[in-house]
Amino acid sequence: MTRAKWICALVLLLPAVLQGAAAGDEGRGWSFAQRFQGSTNSAGVILKTNSTLFYNFNEHVEVYGGLPVYFARESSASSTTTSPRFMNGIGNAFTGLTISASSPTLNFSSDLVGTAPSRAKDRGFSTAHATVDWTNTLSRSFENITPFGSVGLANTVSDTAFFVRPFSSNGAIAHFEVGALISVLP
């Protein structure tokens, strides 16, 4: 089997294996998430699928690791050739630690993420160096609306929950994000 087929098989079989291996303690144990997201604009389309393995020590402390895979298509308007280019590649492998605390009035989480470079630097999916990002978030739920604010320090520009960036960068930055999540269904 090729390496790509092994990765696909692992991504598809891992949730079943983890479901059987989950710990019995309440709030403690392994979990798996598969996320698919993307962004589009006049420059083209960038899609990302992300496989993440989590371990919860308790309701306040969680560690995780994962590997993103990107699929990009340059728009014909921004292409220098007659047809748009397609680029696919593995992004930086990542690991992180999240510490959180919740109360009826305010929720807080602190997330420290580190990445290891992949070989996809020439395609823009990797910085070719290790990165670190520390983000702190405050939120408060009011029935079906949850306003939030995040602030962080990093040595790269990271993807966010609302925008997948088709590039990576190098250098110290501070970043912030404010918004609200709205639950449409209970």
Side-chain angles (χ1 to χ4, degrees):
M1 273 181 145
T2 66
R3 185 177 4 179
K5 288 181 182 176
W6 277 108
I7 291 172
C8 288
L10 179 65
V11 166
L12 294 174
L13 294 175
L14 196 57
V17 171
L18 292 174
Q19 183 65 28
D25 294 345
E26 187 64 35
R28 183 176 183 163
W30 293 98
S31 61
F32 176 82
Q34 184 67 41
R35 184 176 189 171
F36 183 77
Q37 66 187 102
S39 294
T40 183
N41 60 31
S42 62
V45 176
I46 182 86
L47 303 172
K48 177 175 86 169
T49 184
N50 201 22
S51 303
T52 309
L53 180 62
F54 299 88
Y55 185 80
N56 288 324
F57 290 98
N58 56 46
E59 63 181 309
H60 302 291
V61 180
E62 172 182 78
V63 294
Y64 58 91
L67 186 69
V69 178
Y70 291 90
F71 307 94
R73 179 182 175 270
E74 182 181 35
S75 76
S76 55
S78 65
S79 177
T80 56
T81 63
T82 56
S83 62
R85 293 186 311 163
F86 294 90
M87 294 181 293
N88 304 321
I90 295 174
N92 291 343
F94 62 90
T95 186
L97 168 70
T98 301
I99 298 172
S100 61
S102 296
S103 75
T105 57
L106 196 60
N107 300 315
F108 169 78
S109 69
S110 183
D111 192 16
L112 181 62
V113 182
T115 69
S118 70
R119 299 182 321 178
K121 181 184 183 216
D122 57 332
R123 295 180 177 171
F125 302 132
S126 173
T127 56
H129 65 85
T131 67
V132 65
D133 184 331
W134 179 36
T135 302
N136 294 285
T137 304
L138 291 171
S139 65
R140 167 93 195 272
S141 292
F142 301 95
E143 294 186 25
N144 63 338
I145 298 175
T146 306
F148 68 89
S150 296
V151 63
L153 300 171
N155 68 345
T156 189
V157 175
S158 302
D159 289 339
T160 71
F162 302 107
F163 184 71
V164 178
R165 288 175 173 80
F167 63 86
S168 4
S169 65
N170 186 7
I173 66 160
H175 59 88
F176 67 93
E177 186 173 30
V178 294
L181 302 172
I182 299 172
S183 298
V184 212
L185 300 172

